[in-house]
Amino acid sequence: MKITKALLPLGLTVAVAVSVVLSAMIWTNPAQYEHSRQQSSNTPATDLNTRPQKDVYLPTQVIYSDGTGKQELLNNRKVNLTTEIRESLEKWDFGRMSRVRVASKADYMAYLTRKNSLLLSYASPINGRLFNTVFNGKLTRTTTQFSRIMVPLGNSDHIYLLDDRKQNVYQVKVKSSQVTAIKKILRENLFRIDVKMQWLGDSASAYVANSVTVPSYSYLVNQQSTDYFTTRLLNKGESTNVSAKKNKESTIYSDGASRQLTVYNKSGTALFEDYSALQASLSFNQALKAGYDAVKTIGIPMENLRYYGYNASKSTVTYRSFVEGFPIFNQSNYGAARIQMLSQGVRRYNFAIYSLQVPVPTDKKPVTLSGTQSVIDQLVAAGYHKSKISSLQIGYQWLASASSDKVVNLTPTWYVHYDGSWKTATQMLKQ
């Protein structure tokens, strides 16, 4: 009994001392502590979030032209429509690819509005190599760039690859096609918006013919912990000593050598910078592959992630999350992620630390949006120059819920690419 009474104070003293030491370690180097705590639990979850390259580089828009020439923008709210179409096209046998002479913009537009056809569009160009990856093709002209795939649904033994920038058209021989399977997909209960392909500046755009009502959504959101990102981007499974420095707006984590992660908690974004990249410049195909690999490395969810832009002068690839066939524009200033590969060999990843989880019941009503021409007319009347409008897109605006910080509201609105940046038409008209 006396021995027990004598050891009790000693044991308490040791326990307090250990607690103080551990607390000091956490305060002086929180990233290292968080890494040890989360290393085993985060990695498997990330594997579940990843998607193959062919999913991230799917087309972002599907337009159907019927036998009379009427065009509809299509979406399926139950399943991914572009995935269904891709799975059908994967079974086709694509052969020789050759360029078709196009005399004018009107001739080029004829391909975009061809009767009884399906038009699959990208927000930014891809090339033949990526087409082969996505659609299981065997195109030999792998560096040829295009942003649309036109699939005739009648008796045709070709598909057509289209490039708006130079009005280039390429025909691809089809040795074995299964148009019936695609026609079956088009008979499903699809969400349809009447559109008409027209020129908007130097690019073609799907003009929404009339006002359209688009549903609003609310989603639970997930915020990945900071240690999750430091583990993937700074530690990378190594015994790297990560330091952390807090200031008013952000926390900066560094490996002490060439990599740094800045987390902006207020905006829900992060910036990763890597100065150890060996390759200073990348080709177009290398940039698209490097962008995909970077998104995988970051570990953001890829379930609804799509390729949305490429800036050749800055070798920058942009990705956005999609909901019900429409992109989310302000998940962060750059969408879901922007991967920048500078000529000096520096890599910069801007990305959102918040991601959508599951939809929740909402009292938000559907929103009725004006047609494309009406929006353009309003902007011009307000003093904006039509020549500076390069694109209009119905998209979802990410808005924090007033009732819960765990929920975001997704409100449909018109986004306008004006003078090089995306803005909502509402914001522009209020200025």
Side-chain angles (χ1 to χ4, degrees):
M1 182 67 68
K2 291 181 180 181
I3 294 176
T4 302
K5 289 181 179 180
L7 290 177
L8 184 58
L10 179 60
L12 289 173
T13 301
V14 172
V16 171
V18 171
S19 177
V20 170
V21 171
L22 288 175
S23 297
M25 291 173 63
I26 293 169
W27 280 106
T28 56
N29 197 353
Q32 186 67 30
Y33 165 73
E34 291 172 347
H35 161 64
S36 299
R37 179 167 52 89
Q38 293 290 339
Q39 186 174 19
S40 62
S41 61
N42 281 325
T43 303
T46 301
D47 292 339
L48 296 176
N49 290 330
T50 60
R51 287 294 182 271
Q53 189 177 11
K54 67 179 184 178
D55 284 357
V56 176
Y57 285 96
L58 279 167
T60 57
Q61 192 179 73
V62 179
I63 294 176
Y64 167 61
S65 298
D66 67 13
T68 67
K70 177 185 176 182
Q71 294 188 298
E72 296 174 317
L73 176 63
L74 305 180
N75 183 41
N76 192 326
R77 293 174 177 170
K78 294 183 178 180
V79 297
N80 191 309
L81 179 60
T82 51
T83 299
E84 280 195 314
I85 294 172
R86 187 266 307 282
E87 290 174 350
S88 178
L89 289 176
E90 280 181 324
K91 300 173 184 177
W92 292 28
D93 187 0
F94 300 110
R96 183 174 178 273
M97 175 179 172
S98 59
R99 186 172 174 177
V100 179
R101 185 178 180 276
V102 177
S104 65
K105 292 179 73 172
D107 287 347
Y108 179 84
M109 181 58 70
Y111 285 92
L112 299 179
T113 57
R114 178 167 171 167
K115 296 178 181 179
N116 196 22
S117 69
L118 198 64
L119 185 65
L120 310 176
S121 299
Y122 283 89
S124 196
I126 64 166
N127 60 15
R129 184 182 299 275
L130 203 55
F131 176 92
N132 291 341
T133 298
V134 176
F135 296 100
N136 193 31
K138 298 177 182 178
L139 303 185
T140 56
R141 300 179 63 162
T142 56
T143 60
T144 300
Q145 295 185 24
F146 50 90
S147 58
R148 304 182 193 275
I149 305 165
M150 192 270 281
V151 182
L153 299 177
N155 296 321
S156 175
D157 56 0
H158 291 91
I159 66 167
Y160 297 86
L161 310 178
L162 314 172
D163 179 17
D164 286 6
R165 297 169 302 174
K166 298 180 180 179
Q167 292 90 59
N168 288 335
V169 176
Y170 305 90
Q171 66 178 13
V172 178
K173 179 74 174 178
V174 179
K175 300 177 182 177
S176 176
S177 62
Q178 300 180 33
V179 175
T180 303
I182 291 184
K183 289 182 176 180
K184 182 179 179 181
I185 294 172
L186 300 181
R187 288 195 296 269
E188 295 175 357
N189 185 23
L190 303 176
F191 179 49
R192 302 171 184 267
I193 299 176
D194 289 341
V195 297
K196 183 67 175 179
M197 293 300 297
Q198 298 183 47
W199 288 108
L200 180 60
D202 294 329
S203 297
S205 182
Y207 273 55
V208 175
N210 307 300
S211 60
V212 58
T213 300
V214 183
S216 299
Y217 293 98
S218 291
Y219 272 78
L220 285 175
V221 293
N222 176 55
Q223 178 185 3
Q224 292 285 14
S225 60
T226 301
D227 55 294
Y228 173 84
F229 294 117
T230 57
T231 297
R232 301 189 65 83
L233 297 172
L234 299 180
N235 291 104
K236 294 185 176 181
E238 307 164 0
S239 57
T240 308
N241 186 33
V242 177
S243 64
K245 180 180 179 181
K246 289 188 176 183
N247 57 44
K248 186 177 180 180
E249 301 293 332
S250 63
T251 303
I252 302 173
Y253 300 88
S254 174
D255 69 350
S258 59
R259 294 172 295 189
Q260 178 175 291
L261 174 67
T262 304
V263 178
Y264 305 93
N265 289 317
K266 186 175 181 180
S267 63
T269 61
L271 167 63
F272 172 68
E273 297 171 287
D274 184 357
Y275 295 88
S276 64
L278 298 178
Q279 194 166 3
S281 60
L282 300 176
S283 67
F284 176 68
N285 189 73
Q286 288 172 332
L288 296 190
K289 179 63 167 61
Y292 168 76
D293 290 340
V295 169
K296 281 183 62 179
T297 299
I298 295 169
I300 60 176
M302 299 170 68
E303 174 69 32
N304 299 303
L305 197 70
R306 294 290 180 272
Y307 162 63
Y308 205 80
Y310 174 72
N311 185 317
S313 63
K314 297 180 180 179
S315 192
T316 300
V317 189
T318 301
Y319 301 88
R320 297 191 187 280
S321 299
F322 272 66
V323 169
E324 303 298 342
F326 296 113
I328 299 173
F329 278 87
N330 62 325
Q331 187 174 356
S332 75
N333 291 337
Y334 312 103
R338 185 183 75 168
I339 309 302
Q340 189 174 23
M341 294 149 283
L342 302 181
S343 58
Q344 300 88 352
V346 179
R347 302 290 175 91
R348 289 196 177 121
Y349 307 164
N350 295 86
F351 56 94
I353 63 176
Y354 290 98
S355 58
L356 300 180
Q357 285 188 298
V358 292
V360 295
T362 179
D363 57 357
K364 303 295 181 182
K365 296 181 179 180
V367 176
T368 299
L369 301 174
S370 302
T372 304
Q373 189 60 56
S374 175
V375 175
I376 294 175
D377 292 342
Q378 292 176 58
L379 291 171
V380 172
Y384 292 97
H385 300 284
K386 185 178 179 180
S387 60
K388 294 185 178 181
I389 301 174
S390 58
S391 181
L392 284 91
Q393 170 70 59
I394 295 175
Y396 278 107
Q397 188 174 12
W398 177 295
L399 298 170
S401 172
S403 60
S404 172
D405 59 358
K406 301 295 184 183
V407 175
V408 294
N409 297 320
L410 299 180
T411 304
T413 188
W414 274 109
Y415 276 87
V416 184
H417 198 251
Y418 185 82
D419 201 19
S421 62
W422 287 101
K423 302 175 182 179
T424 70
T426 303
Q427 291 171 336
M428 295 175 68
L429 292 173
K430 285 182 178 179
Q431 293 178 354

